[in-house]
């Protein structure tokens, strides 16, 4: 298929339709509004439901209902809107309901700004809701990957019966790139949704969708069941890309838009004869800890590059477990660095390491 | 002569007494000297022969433990 | 090797977003890698709008354009904001109808195109952006005018098909203006 | 020859209610369950449990159920009904749930005229959490968070949800009923039935408000509580139909 | 002063009154409801405002308003209620508004249960709201410490103009212990709240309370200002207790109720001749990384003990930075372990370490 | 001898409005600012900015301001007014802010009869985010999220906030005004003045709904937008007083 | 003879034209051949001597850039 | 050294929370360390309620009582639930009026007190809990009856002051019952 030029937000919407998403509930917010707008226009053709909810809180609870009824469902928002969805996401994780949630991140905290950011890393990966739960989170770097990952995400959500988040920034939402929305992606074998509330139809006993376990022993059992699921996900779903690792002096860890800028920086550095690798998490939860085993001995340090004041760096430190010095470079609030800034940061870190 | 008959699910009853007030002939009472396994004194009918089977008691029973027959 | 980085800047209503999009679409038509990225949000309301386009035979990495090959300046505020972004010996295309200043940079190639006047003469001041695109085509020969026309037809649809001729004329006027005033 | 004139409905499971003795939540559950059975829609019903004393009523209603976050039952119901328009969807919500934290969700379900049925239990108090003030608590009524009695100057006068929702064009059917005596219980059931029939006809949002009791947190015996509901609650919350579909208007 | 027996929730309320808290906005939720109930009764005597909000979302935004107006203000809730406050907390952090927020944690995720838990550790320490921000979080272990910490918390909130969270579990909320609510605590020197919206009174130009910075450069500046503040807090406000460290073979990291149970376990262990230390974070953000420098060389491993499936362990790993093996023991969902379970976990870990 | 009959009020700062040309947000700002000046309460006023096109109006009103989260302005105002009862507190909110995400907060501010003034800008659309459907969008009106025109079957009929709030006992004063011509602008100002006077007298919740325009997202020139407001909006949203304090009833 | 006089803050004006429609005597217009620094054609009065100082224009100006005097 | 761990269990309405609280208050009066902890939440509604009290000369660490010195069993369900919690050679005080079973454990000291009957005889079945506390005082001599009375006065206030004599009598009846039936 020839690639077509699409805006990120629209490509994400179309990817969801292609993945069989049959319902969308959302609330407008910049910089993701083209996503619901696209679905408002095109969902009817796909025989699905588009509904603008009265708020993000309502939207996520509509998603809860539709998912509980066994249907593929999505919502999207941006940073403060995701904050409002935290209770609902926690409920969905508790009730083991699948859904795809798109966060087109902007600067924060609070109302912040509307320019691209990755400052929701912790909000996304640590579960801003209450209790022991995680959401699977993909952080693609370009539109093709975004589209592919969204199509897989619906399967992954169904497979694990857990919400899946797509963490992109405003730039990915707003930009256009050539994209093939019909590219094949790997499909999972999915169990039937026998737990869904479809009405008994007189054929089975009633089912219920629920996250309440008043007896602490039962709640613990449930939490341990979830924990086991999360362990499985950590084992099977870590995804990452390693670039330019052979003989690298330094490894940069970066995802999404930042990873693209880092790629340019790496080219500039290689022109100067400095070999720098890129460890690019595609899943940020589970964080690709496995990738750190593949960091070669030539590497003298790790630089976490983020569009925030430093959030993923915690995961980098945990994965690194004291092996290498860990540095940080970031821009935040909607500022995007130029590759040259990263070049300087790399040089500074390498210089510092030599002095040690 | 009784025109009605009620049966009480004694273990379900919480002894709230709402049926007692609802009975137009005042036929019901809480069983003295008996508590069910939940610790409540369940309702009983003291004059069954006067029951007319109006089901007012059942209408008011929050625990749905009364069955009413008309004879 | 093609590796063009372009910034289009002007007022919200001047069609600067479309300028960038057409170039990006054209690149995709030619199976080039490309990325288009707009400024967005309320700032674009009333105030200035701009977009960035990268067109490349290589994979497009950083979407951020720090050093542009070409900058389109459609209004005065954009000159101050973007002339610094042109890379040495890059080009700046200035809509001299609305920008009465010249660039202060001497290390770049400046082209002054009275786009609004040309457009007005053609009968529709709103096609000033197409005049500028025409000028760009004339300068770079990156794409054929026909490619742009084809893309315009697609994006206009039935409803606005009647606007094709004037856009075509505007593109041509831009090409001609460059040929006459900046012969290569 | 004897004839059973009243027996436990199949709309309820065998599970014993978790409510306090004499709490009218139980009566209302029975009415809803009976209507589901009588309208023959148990097998396509999907109910939404609130957060409140009725939180576990997914164990009581003999049909598919979803437990919703506090106040969000109308949003959950919307999610379900939109993707399963052929099912019968209802929420069951307390006054804390519906009239306080869930105000936006109920107003907008009505505004969109979601084709769902809402059973609203107004017991003038937060039962489950131990008797705090609700937006529906009467002026002067003592609760754990209005220990000196509700002061209208500080907390306003109680909110009347039926009247409020009735102003919304999408609210197809709005009625307030009570269960303080057998006659009213029978009347209430007719309202519940109508609310489900409206959904079955696809006419939109149907809402039944129940005046209910909370003997434990009102500090009254069950019968005293019924009397208090009759004397004080109904006074402020008049019973009646506030909106109904044109064809059904009497 | 003689100590009086008070319920945790009530003691927390009284501590706030003693600290000069002049406004409370909250919404009922188990297991913290006695806190607002106490204030409903006693706030009027202290000349303050008690208001039951229509929701947690409204409550936190009332707190925002009152704090912005320059008044000492508090709210309290429990796990899912805190999830709903995340947007508001992010706004407060963004607008640099002080307040004390009490989270009497219960089991999750979702509606979960109502029994004691520490499974909101990440929700609290990672900022479940959007953007680059943190809240200072105290996790006291008994009522005296809880009361003291709350009294300090109002000062700390004002000093840094940042929300402060008190993270206790349902047990601390529900239990009674003797407590002296008038015990002296250290006071901070506080700047005047010249930023507060009090009306100009014709004496100064208007002020505004705000977290919006549409220009990304300004938002970045603001984020960096906040980051510098957080750095200062990390430097100055880490608080912890070290117990039984001398010659310890193993160190347990535990806070709150879990720390108390660990204390009992340590006693049992010492009866068996096994020396185990306790590193007890009193602040969980900033996490007391400094304390890890004080772990003696005799220690062969660290055991993170939590009332969750394992959340603080991330911070333990970061602070430990690969130095010692890190193990985990937890109960969750409202289950409290018996000290003997911890004894077994310690023995298992020590056994495992010997085998290595 | 010349006399200035109209000049820029001191209630506004010198900062230029960020609104699109011809957007009536500007007119409404002026009215509020003039009233603050005329009632001599600028120095004790505290305003709350919404999230919406007016998000930055803390730069325009010449008094203390707080910027609130989307929809939460009434809660923020409550927080302020409760701790500073002697100040004058007002919110300024759009229809997405007030009638959609902030429904619970406005209903409960009215319910408690918070002694605040609410200025509600109904422009039938989400302006700031680029023209999505609002709960107030008219049936048939095209927006970016109702691309085929608002369909009442799917989204309900538009919500009338003044009518809804007027059912709440605590809503002391509720009026709907318009600014589509000079006469209405003058009338609107009287409503704003009354809404602040009610607060000054401590009478409780005062609410003024403005029919406003969004030429950009309506795809109309400023004057066309005014005409459309007059012809279509006012038709569905009738102007007038829906509630007022007894003493003031005419 | 003019009974009124208006002054326009040209830099503040966004050329929306609402004042033009509001003037009962149709005295206002957008300045041809001039754009202000924001890029708008500001309003001007073409027949100042007929202004009655009614302030209708000012009433409708969303950008509060008109001052009206009565002479 | 005093280090008493106590569990009180029964129906919600039996005043088991107050039993525990009184013991904890008394401990505080004597400057002992103490911690009282209730079961809470909707489970206490109608169903069984219980609380734990630790009274100690040492600092109270774990609030969890896995091995109780004393368990009060006020109703039947509580026997099954809590008899296993009594530590070997600990004591269990059973309200034999409502519990018609005996404990199956032989390694602990069991005391059967017909608390409801005794209370009924005194004229108020609601003071059964005080009979049990009296029994505990009789067995342990941990606190004086007067301490409990003083604390009751405080907690009852003016309004319920008239209930003091009957509570006093109930406490005494409990003490006496132990003295007569379980002489030490
Ligand atoms: C987000 C959230 N806030 C608060 C609670 C605590 N909570 C549980 S039930 C309830 C109120 C119940 O009152 P109501 O809805 O009137 O139902 P009732 O118990 O009276 O039937 C509250 C506040 C919660 N579980 N979740
Ligand atoms: C929690 C949250 N959700 C959504 C948004 C995005 N948002 C900004 S303004 C707005 C709507 C504005 O519409 P309205 O309130 O009608 O004001 P107008 O711009 O029309 O004056 C929305 C949805 C946000 N900032 N925060
Ligand atoms: S059926 Fe009627 S008469 Fe018979 S017991 Fe019940 S209420 Fe009384
Ligand atoms: S109404 Fe029902 S529960 Fe109550 S006493 Fe009568 S039978 Fe028992
Ligand atoms: S607390 Fe009140 S509402 Fe809840 S079950 Fe008990 S009596 Fe009913
Ligand atoms: S978008 Fe609409 S409401 Fe917002 S400023 Fe522009 S015209 Fe006004
Ligand atoms: S003051 Fe009146 S007459 Fe004069 S220009 Fe303005 S509208 Fe026209
Ligand atoms: S109304 Fe005001 S802004 Fe609009 S054209 Fe007239 S003077 Fe200019
Ligand atoms: Mg209630
Ligand atoms: Mg609007």
């Amino acid at each position: 298929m020839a690639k077509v030029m699409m805006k990120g937000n629209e490509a994400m919407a179309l990817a969801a339709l292609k993945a069989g998403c049959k319902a969308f509930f959302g609330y407008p917010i910049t910089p993701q509004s083209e996503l619901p707008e696209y679905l408002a226009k095109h969902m009817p053709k796909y025989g699905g439901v588009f509904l603008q909810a009265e708020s993000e809180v309502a939207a996520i609870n509509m998603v809860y209902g539709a998912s509980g009824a066994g249907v593929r469902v999505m919502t999207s928002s941006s940073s403060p809107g995701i904050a409002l969805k935290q209770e609902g996401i926690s409920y969905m994780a508790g009730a083991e309901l699948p859904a795809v949630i798109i966060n087109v991140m902007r600067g924060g905290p609070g109302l912040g700004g509307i320019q691209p950011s990755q400052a929701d890393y912790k909000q996304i990966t640590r579960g801003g809701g209450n209790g022991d739960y995680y959401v699977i989170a993909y952080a693609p770097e370009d539109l093709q990957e975004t589209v592919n990952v969204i199509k897989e995400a619906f399967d992954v959500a169904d497979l694990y019966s857990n919400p899946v988040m797509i963490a992109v920034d405003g730039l990915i939402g707003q930009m256009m790139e050539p994209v093939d929305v019909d590219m094949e992606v790997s499909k999972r074998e999915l169990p039937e949704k026998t737990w869904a509330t479809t009405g008994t139809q007189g054929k089975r006993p009633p089912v219920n969708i629920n996250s309440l376990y008043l007896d602490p022993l039962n709640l613990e059992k449930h939490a341990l069941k979830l924990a086991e699921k999360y362990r499985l996900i950590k084992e099977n779903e870590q995804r990452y890309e390693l670039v330019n690792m052979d003989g690298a002096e330094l490894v940069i860890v970066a995802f999404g838009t930042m990873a693209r800028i880092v790629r340019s920086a790496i080219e500039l550095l290689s022109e100067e004869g400095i070999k720098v690798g890129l460890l690019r998490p595609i899943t940020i939860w589970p964080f690709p800890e496995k990738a750190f085993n593949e960091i070669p001995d030539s590497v003298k340090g790790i630089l976490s590059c983020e569009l925030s004041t430093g959030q993923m760096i915690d995961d980098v430190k945990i994965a690194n477990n004291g092996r290498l010095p860990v540095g940080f470079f970031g821009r935040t609030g909607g500022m995007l660095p130029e590759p040259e800034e990263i070049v300087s940061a790399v040089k500074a870190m390498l210089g510092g390491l030599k002095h040690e | 002569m009784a025109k009605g008959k009620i049966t009480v699910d004694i273990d379900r009853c919480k002894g709230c007494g709402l049926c007692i007030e609802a009975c137009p002939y005042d036929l019901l009472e809480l069983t003295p000297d008996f508590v069910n396994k939940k610790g409540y004194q369940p309702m009983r009918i003291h004059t069954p022969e006067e029951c007319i089977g109006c089901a007012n008691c059942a209408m008011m029973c929050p625990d749905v433990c009364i069955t009413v027959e008309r004879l | 090797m093609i590796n063009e980085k372009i910034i289009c800047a002007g007022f919200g209503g001047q069609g600067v977003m479309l300028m960038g999009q057409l170039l990006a679409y054209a690149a995709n038509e030619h199976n080039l890698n490309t990325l288009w990225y707009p400024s967005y949000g309320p700032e674009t309301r009333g105030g200035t709008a701009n977009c960035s386009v990268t067109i490349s035979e290589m994979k497009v990495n950083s979407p951020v354009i720090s050093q542009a090959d070409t900058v389109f300046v459609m209004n005065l505020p954009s000159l101050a904001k973007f002339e610094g972004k042109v890379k040495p010996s890059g080009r700046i295309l200035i809509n001299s109808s609305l920008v009465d200043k010249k660039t202060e940079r001497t290390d770049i190639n400046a082209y002054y195109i009275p786009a609004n006047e040309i457009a007005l003469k053609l009968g529709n001041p709103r096609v000033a952006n197409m005049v500028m695109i025409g000028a760009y085509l004339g300068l770079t020969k990156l794409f054929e005018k026909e490619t742009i026309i084809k893309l315009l037809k697609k994006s206009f649809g039935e409803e606005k098909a009647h606007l094709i001729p004037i856009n075509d004329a505007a593109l041509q006027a831009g090409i001609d203006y460059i040929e006459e005033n900046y012969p290569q | 020859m004897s004839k059973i004139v009243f027996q436990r409905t199949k709309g309820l499971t065998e599970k014993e209610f978790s409510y306090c003795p004499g709490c009218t939540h139980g009566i209302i559950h029975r009415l809803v369950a009976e209507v589901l059975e009588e309208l023959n829609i148990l097998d396509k019903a999907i109910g939404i449990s609130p957060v409140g004393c009725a939180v576990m009523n997914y164990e009581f209603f003999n049909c598919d159920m979803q437990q919703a976050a506090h106040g969000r039952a109308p949003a959950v119901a919307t999610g379900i009904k939109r993707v399963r328009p052929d099912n019968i969807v209802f929420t069951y919500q307390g006054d804390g749930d519906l009239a306080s934290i869930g105000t936006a969700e109920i107003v907008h379900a009505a505004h969109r005229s979601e084709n769902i049925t809402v059973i609203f239990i107004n017991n003038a108090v937060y039962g489950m959490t131990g008797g705090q003030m609700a937006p529906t608590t009467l002026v002067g009524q003592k609760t754990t968070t209005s220990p000196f009695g509700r002061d209208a100057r500080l907390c306003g006068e109680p909110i009347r949800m039926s009247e409020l929702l009735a102003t919304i064009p999408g609210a197809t059917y709005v009625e307030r009923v009570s269960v303080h005596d057998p006659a009213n219980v029978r009347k209430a059931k007719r309202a519940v039935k109508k609310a489900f029939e409206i959904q079955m006809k696809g006419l939109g949002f149907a809402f039944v408000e129940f005046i209910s009791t909370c003997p434990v947190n009102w500090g009254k015996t069950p019968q005293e509580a019924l009397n208090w509901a009759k004397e004080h609650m109904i006074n402020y919350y008049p019973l009646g139909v506030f909106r109904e579909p044109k064809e059904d208007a009497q």
Side-chain angles (χ1 to χ4, degrees), chain A, chain B, chain C, chain D:
Chain A
M1 263 284 305
K3 295 194 168 192
V4 292
M5 288 294 285
M6 286 192 86
K7 209 169 180 180
N9 284 330
E10 298 180 346
M12 291 194 276
L14 183 53
L17 293 176
K18 297 271 177 180
C21 173
K22 282 280 175 278
F24 177 91
F25 303 95
Y27 188 76
I29 185 166
T30 308
Q32 64 81 56
S33 294
E34 296 86 356
L35 198 162
E37 287 168 5
Y38 187 93
L39 289 173
K41 210 160 177 176
H42 298 281
M43 186 61 105
K45 285 183 287 192
Y46 286 78
V49 171
F50 168 85
L51 186 64
Q52 181 173 310
E54 61 270 31
S55 70
E56 290 86 355
V57 170
I60 192 70
N61 285 287
M62 291 173 183
V63 168
Y64 179 103
S67 175
V71 163
R72 285 205 156 173
V73 54
M74 180 165 90
T75 185
S76 67
S77 190
S78 176
S79 311
I82 298 291
L84 283 172
K85 292 186 201 245
Q86 296 288 21
E87 189 205 25
I89 295 172
S90 173
Y91 266 74
M92 294 192 70
E96 297 195 75
L97 292 178
V100 172
I101 301 162
I102 293 181
N103 181 1
V104 183
M105 290 182 274
R106 56 190 243 182
L111 189 49
I114 56 173
Q115 300 303 318
S117 167
Q118 300 178 333
D120 298 350
Y121 182 90
K122 287 187 172 171
Q123 182 185 24
I124 294 165
T125 60
R126 292 308 188 272
N130 54 300
D132 287 305
Y133 78 95
Y134 293 92
V135 298
I136 302 162
Y138 292 93
E141 67 167 350
D142 61 27
L143 291 196
Q144 189 63 56
E145 189 173 52
T146 302
V147 159
N148 292 356
V149 141
I150 287 176
K151 284 158 73 183
E152 271 196 74
F154 280 92
D155 266 23
V156 170
D158 282 346
L159 180 62
Y160 296 102
S161 258
N162 205 70
V164 174
M165 189 135 2
I166 309 294
V168 295
D169 59 57
L171 191 144
I172 294 179
Q174 293 294 327
M175 74 187 186
M176 277 196 190
E177 272 188 329
V179 61
D180 173 3
V181 287
D182 292 310
M183 190 180 279
E184 285 291 327
V185 299
S186 80
K187 293 230 178 288
R188 314 299 178 102
E189 199 147 331
L190 298 177
E192 220 191 311
K193 295 183 178 178
T194 51
W195 44 261
T197 58
T198 55
T200 63
Q201 312 296 345
K203 290 185 188 134
R204 55 155 175 76
V207 295
N208 76 71
I209 302 291
N210 176 36
S211 68
L212 174 69
Y213 295 84
L214 268 182
D215 177 346
L217 204 56
N218 287 341
L219 182 53
E220 185 177 57
K221 246 186 238 159
H222 177 60
L224 293 177
K225 181 188 160 205
L226 294 181
E228 173 56 18
K229 176 166 88 177
Y230 298 137
R231 199 193 55 70
L232 257 178
I233 295 171
K234 274 191 187 173
E235 205 168 290
N236 298 329
E237 304 294 341
Q238 290 184 26
R239 195 178 295 183
Y240 55 91
E241 183 188 1
L242 296 174
V243 180
N244 212 32
M245 279 288 169
D246 267 7
E249 290 177 66
L250 194 104
V251 165
I252 295 179
V253 185
F255 66 89
T257 292
M258 187 51 129
R260 295 177 73 133
I261 303 174
V262 167
R263 284 178 194 272
S264 293
I266 287 175
E267 278 171 21
L268 293 177
L269 283 158
S270 86
E271 284 169 22
E272 299 190 43
I274 304 173
K275 274 210 86 175
V276 172
L278 168 64
L279 188 165
R280 182 172 71 88
I282 300 172
T283 51
I284 52 176
W285 197 92
F287 189 72
E289 303 201 346
K290 290 179 183 176
F292 286 71
N293 300 329
E294 301 182 42
I295 294 178
D297 287 338
S298 57
V299 172
K300 294 196 279 296
I302 300 180
L303 185 67
S304 186
C305 287
E306 311 178 38
L307 296 177
S308 76
T309 61
Q311 302 200 7
M312 178 179 64
I313 188 171
D314 275 10
D315 282 333
V316 172
K317 284 181 180 168
I318 293 168
N320 177 57
N321 197 28
R323 176 181 158 202
L324 292 166
V326 175
F328 175 73
F329 170 81
R331 294 299 301 265
T332 196
M335 294 304 296
L336 299 175
E338 298 181 355
E340 290 75 10
E341 297 175 49
I342 295 169
V343 168
S344 307
V346 166
K347 288 181 184 167
M349 185 165 178
L350 282 173
L353 291 176
K354 268 167 205 146
H355 279 277
E356 267 167 25
Chain B
M1 267 304 295
K3 290 185 283 178
K5 179 173 165 238
I6 66 162
T7 324
V8 186
D9 184 338
I10 278 165
D11 284 332
R12 225 181 251 289
C13 173
K14 290 180 184 150
C16 70
L18 292 187
C19 51
I20 300 174
E21 290 273 342
C23 176
Y25 297 98
D26 220 353
L27 310 176
L28 310 177
E29 65 181 358
L30 297 187
T31 316
D33 310 323
F34 176 76
V35 287
N36 64 14
K37 63 175 182 225
K38 287 207 298 276
Y40 299 115
Q41 280 179 273
M43 175 272 271
R44 71 173 183 190
I45 181 159
H46 54 66
T47 320
E49 56 282 10
E50 293 187 13
C51 174
I52 58 163
C54 69
N56 271 8
C57 52
M59 271 309 117
M60 294 308 292
C61 175
D63 286 280
V64 205
C65 33
I66 306 175
T67 306
V68 186
E69 288 165 87
R70 235 173 254 153
L71 302 174
Chain C
M1 199 182 62
I2 301 174
N3 190 17
E4 265 279 302
K5 302 191 171 173
I6 304 156
I7 294 172
C8 314
F11 283 130
Q14 290 181 301
V16 290
M17 297 298 181
L18 182 62
M19 288 170 68
Q21 282 173 350
L22 284 172
L23 295 175
Y25 288 151
N28 187 46
E29 286 288 309
H30 288 77
N31 282 315
L32 290 163
N33 294 305
T34 184
L35 186 153
W36 171 90
Y37 175 55
S39 62
Y40 61 87
E43 68 180 52
T44 57
R45 176 212 296 155
T48 58
N50 69 79
C51 65
S52 312
V53 186
T54 305
I55 296 172
S56 182
E57 286 174 79
M58 299 173 305
K59 183 164 177 245
V60 179
N61 289 325
S62 174
V64 184
I65 298 182
S66 38
Q67 297 268 291
D69 298 280
T70 303
V71 167
F72 290 95
V73 166
M74 296 295 286
N75 68 355
L76 190 58
S78 300
L79 181 64
K81 203 164 168 192
F82 291 103
E83 68 177 340
K85 290 267 180 186
V86 185
K87 77 172 185 200
S89 75
R91 60 181 87 79
I92 191 162
L93 278 70
I94 296 174
N95 175 7
S96 57
S97 304
L98 294 185
V99 182
D100 54 7
K101 274 172 64 181
K102 307 251 157 189
T103 177
E104 290 179 5
R105 286 186 58 181
T106 52
D107 61 334
I108 60 177
N109 301 308
Y111 305 89
Y112 299 91
I113 302 124
N116 283 52
E117 284 159 43
I118 296 174
L120 208 58
K121 257 183 241 151
L122 296 173
N124 187 342
R126 304 204 54 191
V127 296
N129 56 347
M130 288 303 134
V131 175
M132 297 297 278
I133 291 289
Y136 179 78
L137 298 185
L139 280 170
T140 62
K141 317 276 192 276
L142 197 56
F143 308 117
E144 298 295 315
K145 187 185 75 176
E146 284 62 40
T147 310
I148 305 292
I149 296 287
K150 184 178 126 191
L151 292 164
L152 272 175
K153 278 186 183 151
K154 208 155 143 194
S155 103
F156 282 4
E158 292 287 288
E159 217 180 314
K160 295 209 246 159
H162 63 282
L163 293 173
I164 294 295
I166 173 110
N167 278 279
D168 191 339
L171 285 165
Q172 192 56 50
I175 294 170
D176 296 346
Y177 187 86
I178 288 296
E179 205 154 294
E180 281 160 37
N181 297 279
Y182 299 95
Q184 275 151 331
Chain D
M1 217 186 64
S2 94
K3 190 179 127 231
I4 289 177
V5 291
F6 185 95
Q7 65 184 352
R8 195 174 165 90
T9 166
K10 289 198 181 54
L12 292 171
T13 64
E14 280 305 303
K15 182 96 183 177
E16 282 167 18
F17 289 157
S18 50
Y19 306 105
C20 305
C23 172
T24 45
H25 264 302
I27 300 179
I28 303 165
H29 277 48
R30 172 176 68 77
L31 298 182
V32 172
E34 284 176 357
V35 166
L36 292 176
E37 187 189 11
E38 288 166 23
L39 293 177
N40 202 17
I41 50 178
L42 260 176
D43 60 351
K44 54 180 181 173
I46 306 174
I48 328 287
S49 313
V51 176
C53 282
V55 66
M56 296 211 312
N57 69 11
Y58 52 80
E59 297 195 343
F60 309 143
F61 287 118
N62 202 4
C63 63
D64 282 3
M65 298 290 293
Q66 292 198 17
Q67 198 291 315
H70 193 30
R72 316 307 176 194
V76 172
T78 299
I80 300 170
K81 186 72 183 185
R82 292 280 172 145
V83 301
R84 299 220 171 268
D86 297 335
N87 286 86
I88 295 297
V89 179
F90 68 98
T91 73
Y92 183 105
Q93 306 178 253
D95 43 359
D97 196 77
L98 183 143
S100 193
I101 192 170
T103 307
E105 285 75 15
I106 195 66
V107 163
H108 285 277
H111 157 235
R112 292 187 303 265
S113 203
E114 290 298 338
N115 193 25
I116 59 171
T117 301
V118 174
I119 307 296
F120 171 45
I121 282 69
N122 178 356
N123 61 5
V125 83
Y126 286 27
M128 165 165 251
T129 40
Q132 292 82 10
M133 189 181 74
T136 48
T137 295
L138 296 185
V139 170
Q141 188 182 341
K142 282 187 187 172
T143 70
T144 57
T145 50
S146 59
F148 313 112
R150 181 185 181 128
D151 182 341
R153 266 181 327 114
L154 296 175
C155 314
E157 292 179 32
I159 199 162
R160 295 184 183 95
M161 286 309 291
S162 287
E163 285 82 339
L164 185 148
L165 292 174
T167 64
I168 299 175
T172 306
Y173 173 57
V174 178
E175 178 164 1
R176 186 184 286 121
V177 297
S178 176
V179 291
H180 65 270
D181 61 26
N184 273 283
V185 171
R186 291 187 171 98
K187 212 165 156 190
K189 182 167 170 186
R190 288 195 289 275
V192 172
K193 197 165 220 161
K194 189 157 171 186
F196 278 100
E197 283 166 347
I198 282 168
Q199 182 179 168
M200 292 166 80
K201 291 185 207 152
L203 298 179
F205 185 81
F207 181 88
V208 182
E209 172 173 349
F210 278 87
I211 300 300
S212 189
T213 66
C214 179
V216 162
N217 288 303
W218 293 1
K220 296 189 159 46
T221 68
Q223 186 60 44
E224 282 168 9
L226 288 187
N227 299 342
W228 194 83
K230 182 180 163 193
E231 281 155 33
H232 296 90
M233 296 274 289
I234 291 175
N235 212 18
Y236 187 82
Y237 297 111
L239 306 184
V241 176
F242 294 90
R243 257 182 100 101
E244 60 188 329
K246 274 168 221 106
E247 50 172 295
D248 288 343
Q250 281 129 2

